[in-house]
Amino acid sequence: MKNYITHDEWCIIEDGFHPEHNVITESLMSLGNGRMGQRGNFEEKYSGKSLQGNYVAGVWFPDKTRVGWWKNGYPNYFAKVINATNWIGIDVEIDGVELDLATCEILSFRRELNMKNGTLRRICTLRLSNGHEVEIVSERFCSLAHDEAGMINYAIKPLNFAGKAKVTPYLDGDVSNRDSNHGEKFWEEVGKEVKGSEAYLTMKTKKSAWENVPQFTVTSGMRMKFYQKTKEIDPVSLPVKKEKYIGFSYELPLITGEQTIIQKYTCNLSSDNHAPEKQVETAKKYLNEIYHLGFEVLLGEHTKEWEKKWERNDIEIKGDIAAQQGIRFNIFHLQQTYTGEDARLNIGPKGFTGEKYGGVTYWDTEAYCLPFYLATADSKVARNLLIYRHNHLQKAIENAEILGFSNGAALYPMVTMNGEECHNEWEITFEEIHRNGAIAYAIHDYINYTGDKKYLSEYGLEVLIAISRFWAQRVNWSEAKCKYVMLGVTGPNEYENNVNNNWYTNLMAQWTLKYTLESIEYVKAEFPERWKELSAKLNFNADLEEDKWEHIIEEIYLPEDKERGVFLQQDGFLDKELMEVDEITEHRPINQKWSWDRILRSCFIKQADVLQGMYFLEEKFSLEQLEANFDFYEPMTVHESSLSPCVHTILACKLGRIEKAYEMYVRTARLDLDDYNNDTEDGLHITSMAGTWMAVVKGFGGMRVNKGEISFDPVLPEGWESYSFRVGIGSELKEVKVNKEGFEVVNL
Ligand code: BGC
């Protein structure tokens, strides 16, 4: 755990440079606008530890799979949203000495992410090897109002000298992914163009071995403005051209005590949204418009967009600044990662803040993110997330076919960009099939929240039937148990693999089958024509399929220990040596300290598993059942998945264990800020941030929705004076305010 970020209500502040944590800070200070995103790297050269990252939404490359032992059914590639042209770069040399924070003396330093208006600001004073002292102030943002544009205002002030600066702003397409499987670079240059003080660089993803994989073209543009003593100046620009690189070099006189301001206006246009043959022309027009608006106007527009977002979705916590900062940090990053306007896009577990998980889609979206977007955005945003999976249905059917399933059974991928499976560890790819349950559950969640039953008939039911067909084929009848069993699976707890009868997976399979049958009845009754068409298209054999599904619903095996009153995570769970996390004497996380073998045999649980099921389907279980299971599993849970503590917060609140809930809340809300799991270097846990939001709204706020009816049952953690949040449901926006006296719900 780290503790170097200053607590503040609206800002994430690094006061004094911490080079040893620079890669973490770069993750924390990432910026984005749904269309593109980037890590909080420095503009000028930095030779210290850093992970350079600029990403363009929807632009990916099929990185050829690398595994030690190939298994039939493995995918050929892992689709990755790849590191793209670095558009923030500005190299600076002062009187012949290169400005590099790793080599010069740092006299003062402050880096600050302002979440209120989505800007990243850095102010530092530096002493160079020639004794020159200089102040650098940089500010940048990825515009929400113009979502293909990013702007930088970079100021140099000599403090004890007058001299010359050589400044080289550039666009660098010669970038790579640190996690590239075969050390391959993914981009090739299409062309570059210089026109006055404008430059354009067009890069294209390399042709891959797979015909069906699209190639993407990204055109980045830049244009510069300079000011001295508040007056615009027009220094001579010399183009600097290298392979995959275009820059300008400027010589600027520096006046003691005066700022020289360098403004860099940039754009990044992708062939996903623009015709590639006209991309440069389009970029020119786009950049021209941005450039003429100027930094202040653009910042004003951007700030307004953020004001709207906060007005709608802020959560205010009084009396606990760490908790306040934590929740805003989570909401901020969620909002700048996914805006929901484009059904082709989704939410990668790290968003645009790092390379891990490749920026692609996991079950996280349905299980964690959907509730956030349901309550905080127009319902079309959540609908788009569902449509994304509907669009991938055929591929999910093909994926199941590869594994030997038939008759339209669908297994959605564990990890995907275009609907194809990308994951390549058998115990997850083939076994972590519970993701199908989350995708089915999300359809229910959406309809329950919005009342949009038409969705069920038009799209949802088709997905449900395909998933149900999968479950019906994936179980088998056990003569020994006289029950349907599901063998060789991995539940949400990835710290045990290849287990039999993971309770959560079996439960979600049972639930899906039941919900699908109910949905068929509903669509038959309300949309008979559609049912006729759909059942014909799917070749649905009601007699055979429905009977079998009913039998499975009745007879599926759900392991439990009646004496303890707990459901068993899997058949063999009680054979393990049961210990509590507190008994671990070594340093944690165990996934970084223990052998995998030791982890697999231990009872320690990575993330909510049985408790995840009790959270999803809470109406099925009594409070006593919840309590018994919570008391059994919570002490064994190490929460080494970011997706875990939020579920425990919600359940602890339900049980009235507010202290425990608070402990879990802080863990989820400040997971990245305090680097609890020692992995923020890889990027932020964007999808679990939605879980943090749920921890407040569904946990402390006790919000539940039942067929479009919303209810609250709030509690106030000790130490908080008050908190408030807003949720939208139907056409209403409600504000919930909770304080020591009680709570009120205001219809806005
Ligand atoms: C979790 C998975 C999750 C993935 C991406 C893993 O560590 O165990 O449940 O889908 O991270 O967030």
Side-chain angles (χ1 to χ4, degrees):
M1 207 178 139
K2 321 268 179 321
N3 188 14
Y4 70 100
I5 296 294
T6 309
H7 289 186
D8 184 275
E9 284 185 10
W10 279 107
C11 293
I12 307 303
I13 303 163
E14 181 195 19
D15 208 353
F17 187 34
H18 295 74
E20 71 286 12
H21 299 327
N22 186 44
V23 185
I24 299 174
T25 317
E26 288 174 339
S27 301
L28 297 176
M29 309 242 175
S30 296
L31 289 176
N33 59 13
R35 226 8 109 201
M36 60 186 197
Q38 52 150 231
R39 289 169 52 81
N41 309 119
F42 296 140
E43 288 83 4
E44 66 280 347
K45 177 190 164 160
Y46 180 65
S47 60
K49 233 182 133 207
S50 163
L51 175 69
Q52 186 63 239
N54 293 280
Y55 310 94
V56 181
V59 173
W60 59 278
F61 187 80
D63 194 14
K64 189 163 175 262
T65 301
R66 199 181 71 179
V67 288
W69 182 13
W70 189 269
K71 310 268 186 310
N72 275 346
Y74 273 174
N76 291 316
Y77 59 78
F78 195 110
K80 286 179 179 158
V81 175
I82 50 177
N83 192 13
T85 295
N86 171 5
W87 56 265
I88 63 165
I90 303 176
D91 283 344
V92 180
E93 231 181 74
I94 293 175
D95 283 339
V97 179
E98 191 171 49
L99 205 119
D100 174 354
L101 267 77
T103 56
C104 62
E105 195 183 334
I106 298 176
L107 304 175
S108 72
F109 180 96
R110 187 178 166 99
R111 186 164 23 172
E112 184 171 318
L113 174 73
N114 182 339
M115 300 184 287
K116 204 169 201 165
N117 71 352
T119 53
L120 177 59
R121 190 165 192 275
R122 175 170 50 116
I123 171 158
C124 51
T125 48
L126 313 167
R127 186 181 292 130
L128 307 182
S129 57
N130 55 8
H132 287 0
E133 288 175 15
V134 63
E135 179 199 80
I136 303 291
V137 184
S138 78
E139 186 170 28
R140 71 173 190 256
F141 58 96
C142 293
S143 171
L144 276 186
H146 307 268
D147 63 6
E148 289 165 307
M151 267 65 63
I152 305 170
N153 193 75
Y154 189 94
I156 307 173
K157 181 158 90 179
L159 299 176
N160 64 352
F161 70 100
K164 263 194 205 126
K166 185 176 159 208
V167 173
T168 314
Y170 62 86
L171 300 168
D172 183 8
D174 192 15
V175 292
S176 53
N177 268 48
R178 198 168 283 176
D179 71 351
S180 164
N181 282 338
H182 301 272
E184 203 186 340
K185 288 199 170 177
F186 302 137
W187 293 100
E188 53 195 31
E189 184 182 319
V190 175
K192 47 176 145 341
E193 202 180 309
V194 175
K195 189 182 140 209
S197 66
E198 293 167 54
Y200 299 89
L201 176 69
T202 301
M203 303 295 299
K204 189 173 186 171
T205 52
K206 279 166 56 181
K207 192 162 170 40
S208 71
W210 297 281
E211 284 304 318
N212 60 341
V213 171
Q215 282 176 276
F216 298 92
T217 312
V218 173
T219 299
S220 303
M222 71 170 188
R223 200 162 168 185
M224 309 300 300
K225 268 188 200 178
F226 298 86
Y227 294 90
Q228 247 173 11
K229 291 191 173 174
T230 69
K231 279 210 186 86
E232 193 169 346
I233 55 168
D234 188 14
V236 176
S237 65
L238 292 175
V240 187
K241 291 186 187 176
K242 291 188 248 176
E243 205 196 331
K244 302 183 183 176
Y245 174 107
I246 179 80
F248 288 119
S249 155
Y250 299 91
E251 284 236 338
L252 303 168
L254 296 177
I255 310 158
T256 321
E258 289 292 339
Q259 275 191 336
T260 295
I261 295 175
I262 300 146
Q263 288 185 345
K264 186 174 181 186
Y265 298 80
T266 71
C267 67
N268 290 289
L269 269 54
S270 134
S271 53
D272 230 11
N273 305 308
H274 302 278
E277 62 285 358
K278 291 201 196 131
Q279 224 162 287
V280 179
E281 280 320 299
T282 317
K284 281 181 189 164
K285 274 195 210 129
Y286 191 86
L287 194 56
N288 193 35
E289 199 182 303
I290 299 297
Y291 179 82
H292 284 109
L293 286 172
F295 191 86
E296 291 308 321
V297 172
L298 290 163
L299 180 59
E301 289 178 349
H302 174 67
T303 305
K304 271 218 177 76
E305 291 301 315
W306 269 111
E307 268 168 21
K308 278 192 235 157
K309 286 195 186 282
W310 286 117
E311 171 69 16
R312 171 71 179 70
N313 292 328
D314 188 23
I315 293 183
E316 206 178 2
I317 298 174
K318 291 248 164 75
D320 185 343
I321 197 161
Q324 172 69 84
Q325 186 182 37
I327 190 66
R328 286 205 174 119
F329 180 71
N330 286 259
I331 296 172
F332 174 76
H333 278 290
L334 280 166
Q335 308 223 63
Q336 58 168 4
T337 302
Y338 181 75
T339 60
E341 274 145 32
D342 188 339
R344 295 169 303 172
L345 302 179
N346 207 284
I347 308 145
K350 302 277 177 210
F352 302 117
T353 68
E355 295 180 1
K356 197 168 178 202
Y357 299 124
V360 291
T361 312
Y362 284 64
W363 73 300
D364 307 28
T365 294
E366 284 75 18
Y368 298 87
C369 300
L370 189 85
F372 171 79
Y373 290 104
L374 272 172
T376 60
D378 190 277
S379 62
K380 78 165 195 283
V381 173
R383 195 172 190 274
N384 270 349
L385 288 174
L386 299 191
I387 290 284
Y388 175 92
R389 293 292 192 178
H390 183 268
N391 289 343
H392 289 177
L393 178 58
Q394 187 47 38
K395 293 250 194 255
I397 292 173
E398 286 162 24
N399 184 40
E401 276 167 4
I402 294 173
L403 305 186
F405 296 84
S406 58
N407 188 34
L411 175 60
Y412 276 93
M414 185 66 195
V415 172
T416 194
M417 174 52 81
N418 60 351
E420 284 169 22
E421 178 62 273
C422 286
H423 202 279
N424 54 44
E425 285 164 281
W426 63 270
E427 62 277 25
I428 293 179
T429 316
F430 308 142
E431 296 205 331
E432 214 176 317
I433 51 179
H434 68 78
R435 62 218 189 218
N436 253 7
I439 289 164
Y441 185 80
I443 296 172
H444 167 267
D445 215 8
Y446 168 77
I447 294 170
N448 181 49
Y449 202 99
T450 61
D452 179 7
K453 283 209 163 176
K454 223 166 145 224
Y455 183 84
L456 192 59
S457 119
E458 281 175 17
Y459 302 98
L461 185 56
E462 196 175 355
V463 171
L464 289 173
I465 289 177
I467 293 180
S468 287
R469 283 174 162 172
F470 173 81
W471 291 132
Q473 293 172 43
R474 186 59 169 77
V475 296
N476 66 277
W477 179 255
S478 154
E479 286 299 339
K481 287 196 162 69
C482 266
K483 286 277 176 193
Y484 285 100
V485 293
M486 200 155 1
L487 308 180
V489 301
T490 297
N493 172 25
E494 291 171 343
Y495 285 0
E496 47 181 23
N497 303 147
N498 201 32
V499 297
N500 294 334
N501 294 311
N502 170 254
W503 181 84
Y504 170 80
T505 309
N506 288 14
L507 179 79
M508 293 311 288
Q510 181 194 46
W511 176 87
T512 312
L513 292 167
K514 201 155 175 282
Y515 182 54
T516 308
L517 287 175
E518 286 164 14
S519 301
I520 290 176
E521 285 317 303
Y522 176 82
V523 173
K524 248 189 214 168
E526 300 295 323
F527 304 93
E529 282 309 308
R530 170 67 181 148
W531 174 245
K532 236 201 230 155
E533 178 200 337
L534 191 63
S535 54
K537 175 178 166 195
L538 303 182
N539 231 339
F540 190 72
N541 185 331
D543 288 343
L544 276 182
E545 298 196 72
E546 292 189 355
D547 280 1
K548 171 133 197 230
W549 295 0
E550 262 155 23
H551 198 227
I552 298 171
I553 294 167
E554 294 280 297
E555 298 297 344
I556 194 159
Y557 182 61
L558 293 163
E560 73 181 297
D561 177 34
K562 292 229 162 80
E563 226 167 86
R564 286 184 173 84
V566 297
F567 303 114
L568 295 177
Q569 194 169 273
Q570 44 99 359
D571 277 358
F573 195 76
L574 286 183
D575 294 334
K576 294 189 162 189
E577 187 187 352
L578 300 184
M579 290 167 70
E580 302 201 349
V581 175
D582 290 346
E583 295 174 63
I584 302 177
T585 48
E586 299 105 313
H587 284 299
R588 288 195 274 144
I590 59 172
N591 68 20
Q592 290 172 16
K593 308 280 172 189
W594 288 13
S595 72
W596 191 239
D597 163 69
R598 190 174 167 200
I599 290 176
L600 288 179
R601 286 185 289 109
S602 85
C603 68
F604 296 117
I605 299 170
K606 183 182 181 190
Q607 69 195 91
D609 194 303
V610 165
L611 295 180
Q612 180 80 34
M614 299 193 88
Y615 154 67
F616 271 157
L617 304 182
E618 66 174 345
E619 62 293 342
K620 282 175 82 91
F621 308 102
S622 67
L623 217 50
E624 291 70 39
Q625 283 177 305
L626 176 63
E627 187 156 46
N629 282 278
F630 190 85
D631 286 342
F632 185 68
Y633 287 111
E634 165 35 46
M636 289 187 270
T637 309
V638 284
H639 300 290
E640 289 176 12
S641 162
S642 62
L643 301 172
S644 189
C646 56
V647 174
H648 284 234
T649 310
I650 297 169
L651 298 180
C653 282
K654 194 169 170 185
L655 292 170
R657 313 261 181 96
I658 308 308
E659 218 174 295
K660 183 81 208 169
Y662 179 74
E663 177 198 326
M664 291 289 106
Y665 167 76
V666 174
R667 192 165 172 156
T668 177
R670 299 194 59 87
L671 179 85
D672 287 317
L673 285 175
D674 296 338
D675 196 16
Y676 267 87
N677 285 347
N678 206 18
D679 59 1
T680 304
E681 280 198 0
D682 298 335
L684 304 178
H685 298 84
I686 297 293
T687 46
S688 89
M689 290 181 169
T692 306
W693 176 91
M694 294 200 293
V696 176
V697 174
K698 293 186 168 191
F700 299 126
M703 181 185 95
R704 297 292 184 273
V705 174
N706 186 7
K707 298 197 176 113
E709 247 178 49
I710 196 160
S711 62
F712 303 94
D713 184 12
V715 290
L716 185 70
E718 224 186 273
W720 289 12
E721 281 160 30
S722 67
Y723 65 97
S724 64
F725 59 85
R726 292 176 173 189
V727 291
I729 183 152
S731 57
E732 290 173 3
L733 182 64
K734 295 182 189 290
E735 183 169 48
V736 179
K737 296 181 184 175
V738 187
N739 59 28
K740 292 199 165 107
E741 275 72 59
F743 78 96
E744 86 183 300
V745 180
V746 185
N747 254 331
L748 299 176

